[in-house]
Amino acid sequence: MLKFYTSGKRVCQGLLVTMELKSRQDLISRLYNMVVPCKDEITFKVYMNDDAMDHVVVDVAKKKLAEIMQKEITDLQRFASVVSPPTGEKWITDELVVVAESKEVVGDMISETVLDQEEPWQ
């Protein structure tokens, strides 16, 4: 497991990234990963300055996971709903669902520049 912390932005106190990578250094681990497949996992936690920003509720997840999260997480239940993709415009893959409090926030966060990078949505 690898962790690293960054800071230095005006409205952001810091960013903690945790990477849990599967073992790749020896033959036994490779054989085990062939029998019991596991994936690498990267988690981003962004710590914002509370007084510099408004609170926002946004969730981008696979459909089944988004439904479970919307039932279990209080902020998603109270403030957010599923945002329908814009018609005739480029959007993230069909496998992912966006749950947010407003469509305008999603439009600002998932801009054309973000959509042009196809790797994150694969």
Side-chain angles (χ1 to χ4, degrees), residues 13-46:
Q13 284 180 342
L15 167 75
L16 178 65
V17 179
T18 306
M19 298 188 321
E20 294 183 36
L21 306 173
K22 65 181 180 180
S23 299
R24 294 182 171 91
Q25 70 270 16
D26 60 87
L27 182 60
I28 295 172
S29 296
R30 291 228 179 219
L31 293 173
Y32 179 76
N33 287 334
M34 289 174 65
V35 175
V36 181
C38 62
K39 294 183 178 183
D40 296 334
E41 184 175 312
I42 300 176
T43 306
F44 296 92
K45 290 187 180 180
V46 180

Side-chain angles (χ1 to χ4, degrees), residues 1-120:
M1 177 173 11
L2 303 169
K3 287 189 176 193
F4 63 91
Y5 180 81
T6 62
S7 65
K9 293 293 184 183
R10 187 170 37 108
V11 296
C12 179
Q13 284 180 342
L15 167 75
L16 178 65
V17 179
T18 306
M19 298 188 321
E20 294 183 36
L21 306 173
K22 65 181 180 180
S23 299
R24 294 182 171 91
Q25 70 270 16
D26 60 87
L27 182 60
I28 295 172
S29 296
R30 291 228 179 219
L31 293 173
Y32 179 76
N33 287 334
M34 289 174 65
V35 175
V36 181
C38 62
K39 294 183 178 183
D40 296 334
E41 184 175 312
I42 300 176
T43 306
F44 296 92
K45 290 187 180 180
V46 180
Y47 300 99
M48 305 301 288
N49 292 333
D50 290 335
D51 54 342
M53 266 191 95
D54 292 333
H55 297 280
V56 176
V57 178
V58 177
D59 172 34
V60 179
K62 291 188 177 184
K63 291 180 182 181
K64 289 182 182 180
L65 184 60
E67 291 174 5
I68 293 169
M69 290 174 71
Q70 200 167 16
K71 290 177 185 174
E72 293 180 358
I73 298 175
T74 308
D75 286 346
L76 289 176
Q77 289 175 357
R78 194 175 294 160
F79 302 114
S81 61
V82 175
V83 175
S84 59
T87 55
E89 293 181 28
K90 189 175 185 180
W91 194 240
I92 58 177
T93 67
D94 294 336
E95 297 173 2
L96 297 177
V97 172
V98 178
V99 180
E101 57 185 274
S102 74
K103 196 169 191 172
E104 291 79 23
V105 170
V106 175
D108 291 341
M109 292 179 73
I110 304 177
S111 64
E112 193 68 33
T113 306
V114 173
L115 291 172
D116 287 340
Q117 300 175 10
E118 293 183 22
E119 284 296 318

